[in-house]
Structures are given as C-alpha cells and as structure tokens.
Amino acid sequence: MVLELSGEYLIKLENITKEFSGKRGRVKALENINLEIKRGEFVVIVGPSGAGKTTLLNIMAGMDRPTKGRVIFAGRDYSDLDEEELAKLRREKFGFIFQFFNLIDSLTAFENVVMAALPTDLPIREINARADELLAEMKLLAKKHRFPKELSAGEQQRVAIARALINQPEVLFCDEPTAQLDETIAEKILNDLIAINNAGTTVIFATASETIANKLRRYATKMVRLEFGKIRNIETLRSV
Ligand SMILES: Nc1ncnc2c1ncn2[C@@H]1O[C@H](COP(=O)(O)OP(=O)(O)OP(=O)(O)O)[C@@H](O)[C@H]1O
Ligand SMILES: [Mg+2]
C-alpha cells in the first residue's frame, strides 16, 4: 500500500516568477505562481494566448529555469540539479505532447515511438514490444509503418501520445494537444488522456480553449486559471 501523506506533493511550485528579456525590455511571463500537484491528478491550466501556460509547463518540466522561485518534483529541487540531471529526469519521468505533434517526418509511426526509448537502457526487444503495445492501444497497429504525412492529424497525435508514454512517465504534460484537431477527434484524444490518467499517470493539460476546458471540467481534479502570468484562481473539482 502506498501511503499518501497529506501535504506531500508530486510537483510543487513556490513563488515562481519568469522574466524574458526581449527587444522592448523585460517581459514578465509568470509572476508569483504557487501550485501543488499530487500524484494522479488531472490538472487543467486554462488562460488566453500569452497568459504564460507554455512557460509554466516548461518550468514545471525542467525545460526552462525560473527567474525566481523553486520547483520541486518528488522531493527534488530542480535548482539542485545540473542540466544533465534535469535532462535525465525529463527523459525518465515526463512525457510531452504538443499542438503540432512534433513527429519526425522521415521516421515511421513505429520508429517515432521507439526513438524516444533509445536513450534508456531498456533492451531493444522490450522497446519494440512496448511500442507495439502502445500503438495497439492507440488503434494504430495496422498503420505502424506509415510515415506521419500518411496519417490523419488525429492519428499523428496518437502516435505522439504513444511516443510520450513509452518510457512510462509519471507525468504527461500536454500543451494544447487538441488545437489542430476537429471536434470529434479532439474528444477522442481527451478520452485517451482520461484513460491514461485513470491508469495512474498524472496529467497536466494546458489550453486556451474554454470549450476544451469545459469538456474536461467533469473529469479534472483542478482547474487553474492563468491570466497575464498570474493565477487568477484554482478550483479543486475532486480529490485524487
Ligand atoms: N522565449 C521567450 N522570449 C521572450 N518572451 C517570451 C518567450 N516565451 C514566451 N514569452 C512571452 O511570455 C508570455 C507568455 O507566453 P506563453 O507562450 O507562455 O503563453 P501561452 O499562454 O502558452 O500562450 P498560447 O496560448 O498562445 O500558447 C508572452 O507574453 C510571450 O510573448
Ligand atoms: Mg502556449
């Protein structure tokens, strides 16, 4: 049995501020963000374009460093980790899906999925088996040898999901994953993500779409509203 001590969080953001220096001076992309996410949560981050959603995801995932504040993942403070250690953490613990699928055009669906596991020390047979299993779950086994441009947008996003899951991440970060998809396909992708969360993976989902946020409202554990780099409010919808 896993004891979840109260006050014990998988990801904790403390007073995160992020500034970028641009041509017209410094831009404050995030200001004083405090957020605690427990294992197994499905967190929706909603806010208009430019609110800071991608910046927040990047900082949570250790892809970018905050100007001020701390990020703690499973008790580890990112500021204690060097770039190589952070990269290892990302590779082993996190999966990512994006608006523009980011698949490699010259590789097949299967190869795109396998690629993500090559830096690990898993035996290639295990990697191939996992890739097949994930592509089967995504209903893509019959199309595994197709190249991204021979797949529909929804199918490409499912390849990207399989790729994100191959290293069995603890957290799946989703940055506008349905923005390029029509409504029915978007809904299928949302259902896939809900199933992934049900199976135990923590999901953090950013969107500028109120429609998508509303669809997830019935399922999400938390709804975080971001505006001008600040948290406007956090709604707790259910506990994990
Ligand atoms: N690398 C960067 N250099 C300078 N400014 C940046 C950089 N990245 C983001 N910004 C600025 O930070 C703010 C937040 O950007 P961010 O991409 O996080 O917003 P977002 O909520 O993801 O928007 P969208 O819905 O359009 O994806 C914006 O004002 C943006 O212009
Ligand atoms: Mg964004």
Side-chain angles (χ1 to χ4, degrees):
M1 193 174 88
V2 180
L3 283 176
E4 185 82 271
L5 298 171
S6 66
E8 198 169 280
Y9 295 94
L10 186 60
I11 301 177
K12 192 166 195 228
L13 302 179
E14 285 178 7
N15 290 313
I16 295 292
T17 292
K18 177 68 181 180
E19 289 177 359
F20 291 107
S21 34
K23 283 180 198 139
R24 273 172 279 155
R26 293 177 82 71
V27 180
K28 214 171 236 181
L30 295 173
E31 195 173 348
N32 235 350
I33 302 288
N34 288 287
L35 185 62
E36 291 168 338
I37 297 169
K38 287 186 177 149
R39 200 179 294 275
E41 282 209 62
F42 192 117
V43 178
V44 177
I45 297 168
V46 62
S49 179
K53 304 179 297 294
T54 298
T55 307
L56 186 59
L57 254 50
N58 286 343
I59 286 174
M60 271 196 243
M63 295 206 278
D64 202 355
R65 302 266 192 189
T67 310
K68 279 188 223 147
R70 297 206 298 164
V71 187
I72 298 156
F73 170 78
R76 266 176 292 179
D77 186 333
Y78 287 1
S79 48
D80 295 334
L81 306 177
D82 62 27
E83 294 312 311
E84 204 173 306
E85 290 166 325
L86 260 184
K88 184 167 149 54
L89 179 84
R90 283 199 299 269
R91 203 163 59 229
E92 290 178 354
K93 307 289 186 190
F94 302 151
F96 301 89
I97 57 171
F98 307 94
Q99 176 173 0
F100 300 103
F101 326 131
N102 295 2
L103 298 173
I104 298 170
D105 290 334
S106 57
L107 300 180
T108 64
F110 179 76
E111 290 165 347
N112 264 283
V113 177
V114 162
M115 257 276 291
L118 293 182
T120 66
D121 45 22
L122 281 176
I124 191 72
R125 274 174 53 209
E126 167 71 15
I127 294 175
N128 288 343
R130 275 195 200 180
D132 272 344
E133 197 181 310
L134 285 164
L135 286 166
E137 273 169 36
M138 292 292 133
K139 313 227 165 16
L140 279 171
L141 208 47
K143 297 181 178 174
K144 68 183 243 190
H145 296 306
R146 291 207 192 172
F147 291 94
K149 61 170 171 307
E150 300 167 334
L151 296 168
S152 74
E155 287 167 343
Q156 288 183 56
Q157 192 60 300
R158 281 205 223 98
V159 175
I161 293 174
R163 177 184 60 182
L165 295 180
I166 192 152
N167 295 327
Q168 301 175 328
E170 283 188 44
V171 185
L172 181 61
F173 291 96
C174 312
D175 195 359
E176 304 273 7
T178 59
Q180 301 301 312
L181 306 174
D182 70 38
E183 209 172 323
T184 33
I185 305 300
E187 225 150 280
K188 284 190 180 141
I189 295 292
L190 296 184
N191 286 332
D192 289 337
L193 296 175
I194 288 171
I196 289 161
N197 178 249
N198 267 326
T201 308
T202 304
V203 174
I204 302 176
F205 186 109
T207 183
S209 159
E210 293 292 336
T211 314
I212 296 288
N214 266 328
K215 283 195 171 135
L216 288 169
R217 172 172 284 280
R218 289 177 52 196
Y219 182 77
T221 57
K222 261 193 205 118
M223 187 75 66
V224 178
R225 194 162 288 275
L226 209 59
E227 278 174 13
F228 303 111
K230 293 185 191 157
I231 291 183
R232 169 116 182 274
N233 71 318
I234 301 177
E235 279 176 276
T236 301
L237 300 164
R238 66 176 171 89
S239 52
V240 254

